[in-house]
Amino acid sequence: MSKISAVNKRATQTLAENISKQVEHFSKKEVECLIREFNVLVAEQNNSGRAVHGLDRGKFISTLHSIFGLTDDRMTGRVFRTFDKDNDSVVSMKEWIEGLSVFLRGTLDEKIKYCFTVYDLNGDNAISREEMLHMLKGRLIRQPNEEDPDEGIKDLVEIILKKMDYDHDGKLSFEDFEKTVKDENLLLEAFGTCLPDFRRIEMFEGHVFQEQFEQ
Amino acid sequence: MGISLTRAAQWTMVSSSTAKLASTPMNESLLKEILHFVEHFSSQHPQEAEHVFEEPLQWSTTLVPSDFKTDYDISDSDVQSHERDSEGHPLLQLSPPTVYVRSFSQLSKLLHLADDKKLAEVRACLEGKFESNLHPKQSNHQHSSITHRLNVFVLLVTVYSHPIIQVRLNPKAVKNEVEILQMFCGGGDKGLLKSLRYTSDFQFSNGYRAPLWRQVQGDICYLVIEPCDTETLYITCSTAGSFLNGGEENGYERTSDAYEDLVTLLKSRSPHFADKINQVEVLIVCLIKKAEVALVYFRKTSAGALPGELFSESSTESEEEEEQPYRHPETNTDLPSEYWQIQKLVKYLKDGDQIVTVDTLCAMMDFNLMQESCQMAIQDTGGLKVLLNLLDTDEHKCKIGSLKILRTISHNSQIRRVIVDMKGVQSIVKILDSPVKELKALAAETIANVAKFRRARRNVRLYGGINKLVSLLDCLPNFASLTPSQEEDIEVACCGALALWSCSRSTKNKKAIRKAGGIPLLGRLLKSPLQKMLIPVVGTLQECASEESYRNDIQTLGMIKDLVRNLSSDNDELQMHCASAIFKCAEDKQTRDLVRKYKGLQPLVSLLHKADNKQLLAAATGAIWKCSISQENVTKFQEYKALEILVNLLTDQPEEVLVNVVGALGEFAQIPANKAAIREFGGIKPLVKLLTSPNQALLVNVTKAVGACATNKDNMVIIDQLDGIRLVWSLLKTPSADVQSSAAWALCACIENAEDAGETARSLIGGFQLIVKLLSSTNNEVLASICAAICKIAKDEENLAILTDFGVVPSLAKLTNTTHDRLRHHLADAIAQCCMWGSNRASFGEAGAVAPLVRNLKSKEGSVQRSTAMALYQLSRNPNNCITMHEKEVVQPLIHMMGSDDEELQEAAAGCVRSIRLLYMANRNAELFTFRN
């Protein structure tokens, strides 16, 4: 048993060294910790005997929920799709670490790119009116006297579009989004929470990096 | 308690025009209650106690002028307090037997002086009249005015003894409000309401009136209110607020929104009520919203039913931002389109989740929030409340967004007030503890804007804001290479300094900043190269330098050097604050020397060239004035040609500048060469012209400067030509003691140096009476200067004769009992001089001046000894005086003085002893002669 774990350990270290060269913001040691955390999570999910090479959608979303406090279903689904770069419906170890690099330590530019990808539901490099409407729907309490339940949201979408659509083409290009967010950082998560709160980050880093260093 | 007291007061109508409080035990205890309240009012509510009444309280007092002590100008016929309002009227005036009192602090002082007659004074005060020439006497007026005066006291007692600061309503608060409202029910259209009553007269011991099973739900009581204009309202007052209910048959179920108090509810239901309340123009500065309401009611009714208004509370600090009455939302016509857009956004803010809230906040930021219409739209649509509520949430993005808006709209003074009224300061102060630096900075910046008026500043202090703000200043002084996080710290410190700057306008906050250890931190930040940091830091320091403890710290912590360095900054505002800090600190000699040591004098002079910026000019000239108190500095200033520039600033400058320029010239003119220089630069004429200014601070300095210049004969010729003696002399008539004494000193110099001064003096009609009259002043400095002036005037025999006719001798004799050394010195000089006429020597003796003078001989002050010895020498030429002196054992100290190094003193002492000796010899000879016969 100890032999196996020793082998594993060596393998992990090599892997960590490789990955840490490709991914920003993490040291080799930290990558190692993230790999271990990844393995723990993979082991936790119901693999029912299949060979697995990553976190499936369900486990990933429940992880987002429990560890990072992201609870909005519309968003967590998109976050999964954004992490899962090769679209194979699982988040591989590398995708996990690459994703977390933005999630935990991303610069503003990286975060803008990330959020834009999350919000660009159909992947056409633009956030359209319909996409905004979809993401913001239900976020306003409906007043009983209003006929159209989405009237307020539709109006809000127009206000936001007017504010952010610099090139006046009726949708938000990446450039529009980037310019707006650089101007007012608060609008980074304009259409839904897709990044963890700083307190969650502290907790996660504390839990994963420090505890595992102590081992 | 309020209404019960009012009702309890039992009045006896003596005649149609006077009413008396009957002597019943009930009234006695009521009086005691009011007495207790008034006595403690000024210690418990110092700021409120300073408010000046528009109309004085007026009554016949049993106090006489001799009951008053320091702090009052006392003359035979009347007493005036030193404390005055902004127009210079005394806050207390006694012309027996009537006393006029215009603030609570004076009232409480008076009661203190009244000692065992306190209760009688309170009674007389309540029975006292309103200014009767304002309105014809009518019996019912008289009575109602008394009742209303009592009401005011009672209301104040109620309001201030029960601070009603609580979020949830309680039975007591409801009861207070109901009682106050009931006071203004009825009276047809003039009243606020037709009637107001409880549904149940039974009150449980906990103060509730609702049945027990409803109390569980928080119901306190039920009210039936008949407004003047709408149908009867059935109202539930519960701990959650007041709301309409369906009436008894419907089981008190809630049928409207809950309001935080009855007044707000009634305002929304009865236009008549809202109108009556809204008509009220004057808002009284009061801590508590409910108190505000109560007093406002009173003002309203007193304006309607009574011709005279009793209270007008105004802010006492002149630079203080006035608290304006609320501006009421206009009717829906002509509102700009932004109004509707903002209204819509406010609705989204209320209804949206976190994401929508942040989006909406960002959309709101796109409006021009510096524009008043947008600011008022946010307030009128209830947005301000939502913004403040967001501060108490956990979502830091919402908080950031909200603060970004608040920091901008709080440039509007009404918004600031509402923020404070809605307890926003508490929430903002709490955010200063946040771990998010951006939030801290924004919160501090918002405080900087909100704390522009006193109540807000007090709130910041009361909720612990000062300590938190001071701790924001703690950033690394290493300004060279910074990590992003350190840069954020510096940004936070900047905002903290800005907030402290605003807060530091209140004296108590200055103390709190010091106590929190703010001064060393400010000193550290003073080394920063950043202007945006330096301006608030120096601003705070110069604001606080009005306190002596700060001035000491500024000097000992080595801040003068940094202040001097920044005098040469390229930013006018920074230069101004540095100059102004030096202005305040340079009262101290060491500071003045430090300014010279760090080469600060030249930059100060070069600031004089920025004549367009009057604030900067005022600060720079102020610093030059104070620095020039040290002669070494004057010499330095000479090198930089400061004098010529200063003289040129004597014309066409605002008073703040003139005061300082003239003050500086007064110091410069202490050096003889400069006296001539001032003339050569043409400074005499403008100086003399300034003698007619109405500004007292300026007059003190002008008379000083003119006096200093007058010691040069050539200058005096010009002053005389310009009628300067008459101008200075007439300043003795100003009420300010400072001006009086400063003018009298200048007069000394003028008379001494003018040709034909005696002639000029005689030509001034009433001048001598004025001088003699001022000998009854209570201010020692004035007396000393007047004695000195008399000494100079009396050198002319004719003048002395006139002075004698006006009774100068007994007036001087009366002063001999003083213990003030400066006065003793000049008084003795004046007595010596006045002995030169007629039978004045004998008159002094008869007036009892000799014995006290002998006692004054024992003063330790050399100048007093010398002058007194000379006066005694003059007096000793009268045999009776010699006898008195001998009785008072004058010989021994005189013999001692004969051994002095001062020849004049030797001579005077010896002369005096000789007179005594001669008298003795003559006596003995006479005796021998008689014996022989």
Side-chain angles (χ1 to χ4, degrees), chain A residues 150-205:
Chain A
D150 293 333
E151 194 187 294
I153 287 298
K154 280 180 184 157
D155 181 47
L156 194 64
V157 166
E158 290 311 316
I159 293 171
I160 295 172
L161 198 61
K162 200 174 141 212
K163 181 177 166 59
M164 299 171 88
D165 182 16
Y166 284 94
D167 53 12
H168 305 292
D169 59 355
K171 57 190 180 189
L172 294 185
S173 62
F174 177 73
E175 288 71 29
D176 287 334
F177 187 70
E178 188 182 27
K179 197 164 180 326
T180 316
V181 177
K182 291 231 162 134
D183 207 39
E184 176 52 74
N185 295 347
L186 285 178
L187 287 171
L188 179 64
E189 293 174 271
F191 306 111
T193 313
C194 54
L195 284 166
D197 181 30
F198 72 100
R199 280 163 290 208
R200 294 282 184 165
I201 295 178
E202 272 175 20
M203 262 164 57
F204 177 77
E205 292 200 355

Side-chain angles (χ1 to χ4, degrees), chain A:
Chain A
M1 189 67 190
S2 67
K3 203 177 169 189
I4 298 171
S5 75
V7 171
N8 268 349
K9 202 169 179 183
R10 200 162 313 123
T12 309
Q13 277 171 355
T14 332
L15 193 59
E17 194 159 350
N18 277 335
I19 295 180
S20 69
K21 277 177 196 153
Q22 297 164 32
V23 181
E24 300 254 7
H25 305 311
F26 293 128
S27 68
K28 188 184 146 234
K29 198 84 188 160
E30 284 166 340
V31 172
E32 240 180 273
C33 296
L34 291 174
I35 292 174
R36 236 179 253 129
E37 179 70 14
F38 178 78
N39 289 336
V40 171
L41 291 171
V42 171
E44 275 171 15
Q45 75 188 357
N46 181 12
N47 294 319
S48 53
R50 284 179 288 129
V52 284
H53 55 283
L55 289 169
D56 64 23
R57 189 184 157 95
K59 182 61 189 172
F60 183 79
I61 286 176
S62 79
T63 308
L64 285 180
H65 195 134
S66 59
I67 296 182
F68 295 112
L70 300 180
T71 50
D72 182 347
D73 292 342
R74 270 174 293 187
M75 285 298 126
T76 47
R78 287 297 305 161
V79 173
F80 176 74
R81 300 296 293 263
T82 311
F83 267 64
D84 178 20
K85 285 187 184 152
D86 57 6
N87 261 328
D88 63 352
S89 297
V90 282
V91 170
S92 70
M93 184 188 295
K94 187 153 176 255
E95 285 167 347
W96 160 256
I97 292 168
E98 280 171 348
L100 285 184
S101 137
V102 179
F103 228 48
L104 304 178
R105 309 237 170 123
T107 62
L108 184 61
D109 283 327
E110 288 166 347
K111 284 180 180 169
I112 292 175
K113 235 175 254 166
Y114 162 84
C115 288
F116 185 80
T117 319
V118 172
Y119 298 147
D120 177 13
L121 302 179
N122 58 8
D124 64 349
N125 267 325
I127 306 172
S128 65
R129 254 194 196 85
E130 293 68 34
E131 283 169 331
M132 286 186 215
L133 194 61
H134 176 78
M135 290 185 281
L136 292 178
K137 229 182 223 176
R139 293 187 188 271
L140 263 180
I141 299 169
R142 244 176 70 191
Q143 295 297 332
N145 51 0
E146 275 165 11
E147 286 173 14
D148 181 353
D150 293 333
E151 194 187 294
I153 287 298
K154 280 180 184 157
D155 181 47
L156 194 64
V157 166
E158 290 311 316
I159 293 171
I160 295 172
L161 198 61
K162 200 174 141 212
K163 181 177 166 59
M164 299 171 88
D165 182 16
Y166 284 94
D167 53 12
H168 305 292
D169 59 355
K171 57 190 180 189
L172 294 185
S173 62
F174 177 73
E175 288 71 29
D176 287 334
F177 187 70
E178 188 182 27
K179 197 164 180 326
T180 316
V181 177
K182 291 231 162 134
D183 207 39
E184 176 52 74
N185 295 347
L186 285 178
L187 287 171
L188 179 64
E189 293 174 271
F191 306 111
T193 313
C194 54
L195 284 166
D197 181 30
F198 72 100
R199 280 163 290 208
R200 294 282 184 165
I201 295 178
E202 272 175 20
M203 262 164 57
F204 177 77
E205 292 200 355
H207 154 71
V208 175
F209 295 151
Q210 276 157 27
E211 279 182 20
Q212 297 196 5
F213 277 132
E214 283 160 15
Q215 279 176 2

Side-chain angles (χ1 to χ4, degrees), chain B residues 366-591:
Chain B
D366 284 351
F367 284 88
N368 180 1
L369 295 176
M370 290 300 274
Q371 202 178 306
E372 201 190 347
S373 60
C374 293
Q375 295 165 344
M376 294 330 284
I378 293 179
Q379 189 200 322
D380 293 346
T381 54
L384 197 49
K385 184 145 202 174
V386 184
L387 289 173
L388 290 173
N389 283 343
L390 285 175
L391 298 182
D392 296 327
T393 63
D394 240 4
E395 299 294 341
H396 75 266
K397 284 195 172 185
C398 294
K399 289 198 230 180
I400 290 176
S402 163
L403 281 173
K404 278 186 173 170
I405 293 172
L406 286 172
R407 88 173 151 180
T408 314
I409 61 175
S410 55
H411 282 105
N412 177 310
S413 64
Q414 286 189 43
I415 302 262
R416 291 201 273 271
R417 260 204 75 198
V418 180
I419 291 177
V420 174
D421 287 342
M422 288 180 172
K423 308 192 197 317
V425 173
Q426 285 92 312
S427 313
I428 302 172
V429 165
K430 229 182 272 164
I431 294 180
L432 292 174
D433 287 332
S434 161
V436 182
K437 286 175 188 169
E438 187 181 4
L439 265 177
K440 283 200 233 189
L442 283 168
E445 216 183 324
T446 312
I447 291 177
N449 285 339
V450 174
K452 291 267 159 62
F453 66 107
R454 195 162 50 188
R455 201 153 52 93
R457 290 198 285 268
R458 183 168 51 188
N459 266 334
V460 174
R461 183 179 70 248
L462 292 180
Y463 293 101
I466 300 288
N467 283 338
K468 293 178 186 180
L469 287 171
V470 166
S471 61
L472 297 190
L473 299 183
D474 197 0
C475 66
L476 280 175
N478 164 23
F479 293 99
S481 57
L482 292 168
T483 65
S485 154
Q486 283 168 332
E487 267 174 39
E488 276 175 28
D489 285 339
I490 287 182
E491 184 61 40
V492 170
C494 272
C495 296
L498 269 175
L500 285 174
W501 185 13
S502 294
C503 290
S504 66
R505 298 233 202 110
S506 297
T507 317
K508 282 189 183 164
N509 283 352
K510 289 177 191 171
K511 298 209 168 88
I513 295 173
R514 191 178 141 81
K515 211 173 144 204
I519 307 180
L521 289 170
L522 286 168
R524 199 161 77 180
L525 296 177
L526 199 54
K527 307 221 177 284
S528 161
L530 299 171
Q531 274 179 8
K532 65 168 180 175
M533 175 72 93
L534 286 168
I535 290 173
V537 167
V538 181
T540 312
L541 284 172
Q542 74 88 11
E543 192 67 60
C544 292
S546 58
E547 301 277 303
E548 202 189 338
S549 53
Y550 272 88
R551 293 199 289 269
N552 290 336
D553 287 343
I554 288 175
Q555 191 204 94
T556 51
L557 294 174
M559 293 188 223
I560 298 293
K561 187 176 180 183
D562 296 309
L563 290 173
V564 166
R565 180 168 49 82
N566 286 312
L567 278 178
S568 314
S569 128
D570 58 359
N571 180 303
D572 279 9
E573 198 185 356
L574 181 54
Q575 288 177 321
M576 176 187 82
H577 293 313
C578 288
S580 156
I582 292 174
F583 177 16
K584 286 178 183 165
C585 294
E587 290 270 359
D588 178 272
K589 183 175 182 309
Q590 261 179 301
T591 303

Side-chain angles (χ1 to χ4, degrees), chain B residues 102 186 238 278 281 448 537 541 607 638 864:
Chain B
R102 298 179 55 211
S238 83
N278 289 353
E281 284 291 316
V537 167
L541 284 172
L607 287 181
Q638 290 287 80
V864 178

